[in-house]
Amino acid sequence: MRAYIHQAITSSALLGFLALASPTMGQDTALPASYGVAELQGNFTPDPHVRSIQAGGDIDAASIGENCIGYISNSPDYELNYAEATGFNLSFFVIGGVDTTLVVNDPNGAWHCNDDFNGNSGANPGLVFTAPVVGNYDIWVGTYGQGEIGSEVELQITELTSPWETTSAPELPQPSAPVNEGPPELASSGTGFIVSRAGHILTNHHVVEGCRRLTFQIRGELAVETSLLASNASTDLALLKTELNRDPAVFRGAARVRLGDEVVVYGFPLLGDLSSQGNLTNGIVSALSGLNDDLSRLQMTAQIQPGNSGGPVMNRSGHIVAVVVETANDEYFRDQTGAAIQNLNFGIQDSLARAFLDTNNVSYEIAATEGQTLAVADIAEMAQGFTGTILCYE
């Protein structure tokens, strides 16, 4: 777990797409698409499917709904006939040198809009359908400004990740010493937790950064090798894969995180010094944002130490509400402000973690109901079943 000073973070636009209200342009979807029709089915190749389109039009997209902006054409720019969904996400992204917007009318007649997909995309939009249905998707690519009509952009249709995410394992530097220099050595440790029955592990990017080898160990079990599937420095999240098959953590459902809600943290801080059986702390949500009103974070009084990074933050029903990420650096604040700070600890909001998992096509579990209030000891037993130590070897 790194010391927290200040870090630029991705904007909250990363959290997903906007599903709009009932359409006001239903008559337009009957018009033929200006740039043709794609016939694709699940697991299509090549992926992404790419089409060049001239963006823009003279119709104000706000006529669809108050959250839709930009200018689009009367007829769809492109049409997708999607068949045989396979359980993967279906995503639409636009790449171009002009500020564009994206509008999609799905097979159920619902409208979806996006302007800027996330902090990595620049001015490019994207829409992710996490449970795509088969049928026709009508697609409009608009421009933010009315005078930018005719700008050529690239529409990408994909079941993979967004083109702006760092979602693959980083290319490791070649060793300068001879190949027979010996096995990697233990460099650091962190915490992670199982988020799917297929053995996916969620943790922090800074836990796995620069590691040549990673292992994951549940309390009382043998350590297993892990592979790095995705790592994103801007969100400070990483996704690992193991062969483990067991009950995963469950994310909160509709239950709202409120100021003052009780939270429980479980992890493996100060490995070798504190208990190898894990360490449990609890507290309350003391702020619904981080420093400088960073909405990707929540602040809590549950104490954390180096090694807690990547661990689960749970509510009193045992559901995931955040991912441990950082604590305040006392020396930094003392030097900068002359004040001694106390107990400033932060977690990554579960909405951002779920968006990261959606981007990487991970099937995680969400609580169907708010759930009953459990004893802290019961939550600890649950957490011990899906939380483990991550060892980083360099």
Side-chain angles (χ1 to χ4, degrees):
M1 179 180 60
R2 63 187 172 186
Y4 189 89
I5 296 178
H6 178 71
Q7 181 187 6
I9 55 93
T10 305
S11 71
S12 58
L14 177 62
L15 303 184
F17 59 86
L18 298 173
L20 300 185
S22 57
T24 58
M25 294 176 56
Q27 71 279 7
D28 293 336
T29 59
L31 297 175
S34 301
Y35 294 90
V37 179
E39 304 279 346
L40 300 175
Q41 64 182 32
N43 288 321
F44 56 84
T45 57
D47 188 342
H49 173 83
V50 178
R51 186 72 166 92
S52 293
I53 288 174
Q54 288 189 335
D58 55 8
I59 294 178
D60 189 346
S63 60
I64 300 173
E66 61 179 1
N67 292 318
C68 218
I69 60 176
Y71 294 88
I72 59 177
S73 60
N74 187 48
S75 61
D77 291 308
Y78 203 51
E79 180 183 335
L80 168 65
N81 188 348
Y82 184 63
E84 297 184 23
T86 57
F88 293 113
N89 292 347
L90 178 65
S91 304
F92 302 85
F93 300 109
V94 178
I95 300 175
V98 64
D99 194 351
T100 50
T101 63
L102 182 61
V103 176
V104 173
N105 186 247
D106 70 22
N108 294 324
W111 292 85
H112 308 265
C113 271
N114 184 257
D115 175 30
D116 298 315
F117 180 68
N118 64 26
N120 294 334
S121 70
N124 295 309
L127 289 168
V128 178
F129 292 81
T130 57
V133 297
V134 299
N136 291 327
Y137 292 77
D138 291 300
I139 308 160
W140 286 260
V141 180
T143 54
Y144 186 82
Q146 189 171 15
E148 297 171 328
I149 298 174
S151 300
E152 185 168 308
V153 297
E154 183 179 274
L155 171 68
Q156 292 193 3
I157 303 173
T158 179
E159 291 179 316
L160 303 175
T161 59
S162 78
W164 310 289
E165 295 287 347
T166 306
T167 52
S168 59
E171 190 174 316
L172 297 176
Q174 296 298 317
S176 56
V179 175
N180 63 354
E181 62 176 313
E185 296 183 355
L186 180 61
S188 61
S189 71
T191 301
F193 58 100
I194 300 172
V195 291
S196 81
R197 296 184 184 276
H200 292 95
I201 310 295
L202 186 63
T203 188
N204 291 145
H205 165 81
H206 71 262
V207 169
V208 303
E209 186 176 14
C211 302
R212 293 170 55 196
R213 178 188 173 214
L214 291 160
T215 65
F216 178 76
Q217 184 176 18
I218 295 284
R219 179 183 70 96
E221 300 181 11
L222 295 175
V224 297
E225 296 289 331
T226 71
S227 56
L228 178 61
L229 296 185
S231 191
N232 189 304
S234 61
T235 60
D236 205 353
L237 290 169
L239 182 66
L240 310 179
K241 182 67 169 63
T242 70
E243 297 303 318
L244 294 174
N245 182 6
R246 60 193 305 150
D247 290 340
V250 177
F251 287 85
R252 70 178 176 93
R256 182 170 58 93
V257 178
R258 301 175 303 167
L259 195 66
D261 276 351
E262 293 181 86
V263 289
V264 179
V265 170
Y266 178 72
F268 296 89
L270 301 174
L271 193 65
D273 294 321
L274 298 183
S275 172
S276 62
Q277 302 300 305
N279 189 275
L280 186 81
T281 60
N282 66 335
I284 63 168
V285 175
S286 50
L288 296 175
S289 60
L291 292 183
N292 299 318
D293 283 331
D294 180 355
L295 295 177
S296 74
R297 306 294 200 247
L298 61 75
Q299 183 184 325
M300 59 190 174
T301 61
Q303 295 187 357
I304 56 177
Q305 310 294 336
N308 269 121
S309 283
V313 181
M314 298 158 285
N315 61 19
R316 284 298 301 272
S317 297
H319 301 148
I320 304 299
V321 297
V323 181
V324 175
V325 65
E326 55 215 352
T327 190
N329 185 323
D330 293 353
E331 293 183 4
Y332 171 81
F333 280 95
R334 190 177 298 111
D335 291 341
Q336 295 295 313
T337 67
I341 60 168
Q342 296 180 1
N343 207 17
L344 293 183
N345 310 305
F346 301 93
I348 300 169
Q349 297 264 12
D350 66 307
S351 53
L352 188 61
R354 286 169 55 181
F356 177 72
L357 296 177
D358 288 340
T359 300
N360 289 284
N361 293 315
V362 176
S363 296
Y364 54 89
E365 296 190 8
I366 303 173
T369 61
E370 185 171 346
Q372 62 180 344
T373 299
L374 302 176
V376 173
D378 292 332
I379 296 173
E381 288 185 358
M382 292 172 54
Q384 288 173 338
F386 54 70
T387 310
T389 306
I390 294 175
L391 297 183
C392 168
Y393 296 85
E394 294 180 349

